[in-house]
Amino acid sequence: MDTCCSVPRPPKPAAPVPQSKAEAGRLDRLREMLPPPFTVHTSLVFNPITLEFDEDLSLRIDPATGLITKIIKNSKDIIKVEKGDIDLRGKIVLPGFVDAHTHIFLHSYDEADIAKQTRDESFVERILRATNHCVSALLAGYTTYRDLGSEGMEDADANFRDAINRGIIVGPRLFVATKVLASVAGVMTHTENKIGGTRIPDTSEACDGEVEIRKAVRRRLGMGCDVVKFFADYRKRVMRFPPATPHPYLSSVMFPPDIPNPDVVLYTQEEVNVLCEEAKNADCPVAAHCATNRAVQMAAKAGVNTLEHCYWCDLETLAIVKENNCIMVPTLTIAENLFGTNFQAILKKTYNAWRMGINQACGGDTGTFNHGQNIREAELFIEAGIPLTHTLRSLTFNGWLACGGHSCGRKFGWIGEGCAADIVALNRDPREDLTALRDISFVMKDGRVYKKEGKKTF
Ligand SMILES: [Zn+2]
């Protein structure tokens, strides 16, 4: 069964830039303030690259860089736990989890739909909610979030990322898209009342044609995005049969057609090519929202890094995805909430993609359901028929690939020398009981402990 996926190897990074004198000085000053390097002792560590569980490793960690500096293979009896060390023997240790498709500024659609959230909640409320969301995510074992669109909050996601990176608030390491890109009127919360300028904040920046698209990508880069996200398709013609609630869609008219809100492509192939070319010039990964065969094929051929959703892909389209080496993020958790009986077809497609050796990353479209419940996505990978070890790779290493791999500037998603010290420990073995993934005992991100023995430490 496992033979259909070859063992991935982290792609080679660009040649390292020598450390500057100023940077060395900064690290020396940090070292004076921080505890000295320490060791984390383990008895069982999951390796998402080999898909094996490795026994009896001790991980040397430098708090100043937040990196794992050395991995020592121990024999059980000779481990000496020194002062400051952390003993995770008896627990199941995994690399910190990556949620590859999130929205920190959204909370569950069961509580308020997107129009209500973007129109009625204040900027301050949305920032404070996001602060709570990030704590919930971290305590659930998520040390990295790829946050794909600020949902009416302009470029605040970039500022929010920086607040975490400066240590002002705690949360996962964020990779943000700022505003998403779409063609004119392609992605917006449509409303029927335009009187008095009634409107809902834009969630997307409209750009059409080569010049506007290049400018929009350059603007996103200038605003500090880590990833450019665009919509390759969307339910643009929704106002023919206006919705009662925009997302999730519920029709407001009495006799709607079978599919009142079909997804249509928003761009031409040339436009998508230009968008990808411009982002690649800055070594910035591209994420494409795409649900239909046409849009997925277009985005894959243009060379996007990740394809989000891909709900209705057939086998021919999956072959094109594989050929172009794109990563799929099937966002099963939101699909489970949206599609009822059609959801089974989406699970089947996700399984087929795995069988064909397509790399998939776990990302639930978290935010449309509550942060902290992220692990549902991994559970649905397993429900689709993907083996546990491959699912755990999608939850960790493939998440790093989705964030851009080496272009992230930091290695995470596996436990190796030179990787960020992002470590999660479970009380029970998920090979025996899947609910173990919901029982997080320990969380470390960048060498800082945020949860110990099931209790938060900050
Ligand atoms: Zn999303």
Side-chain angles (χ1 to χ4, degrees), residues 101-103 148 151 229 309 365:
H101 190 134
T102 66
H103 299 281
L148 293 183
E151 303 291 346
K229 185 197 180 183
H309 314 300
D365 220 339

Side-chain angles (χ1 to χ4, degrees), residues 294-328:
R294 237 183 115 192
V296 174
Q297 290 188 19
M298 210 184 251
K301 285 175 186 165
V304 302
N305 298 69
T306 63
L307 299 154
E308 312 301 311
H309 314 300
C310 309
Y311 293 140
W312 318 117
C313 273
D314 58 21
L315 292 172
E316 185 198 332
T317 301
L318 289 180
I320 293 170
V321 171
K322 171 74 184 153
E323 200 182 301
N324 287 282
N325 204 20
C326 301
I327 299 158
M328 276 176 49

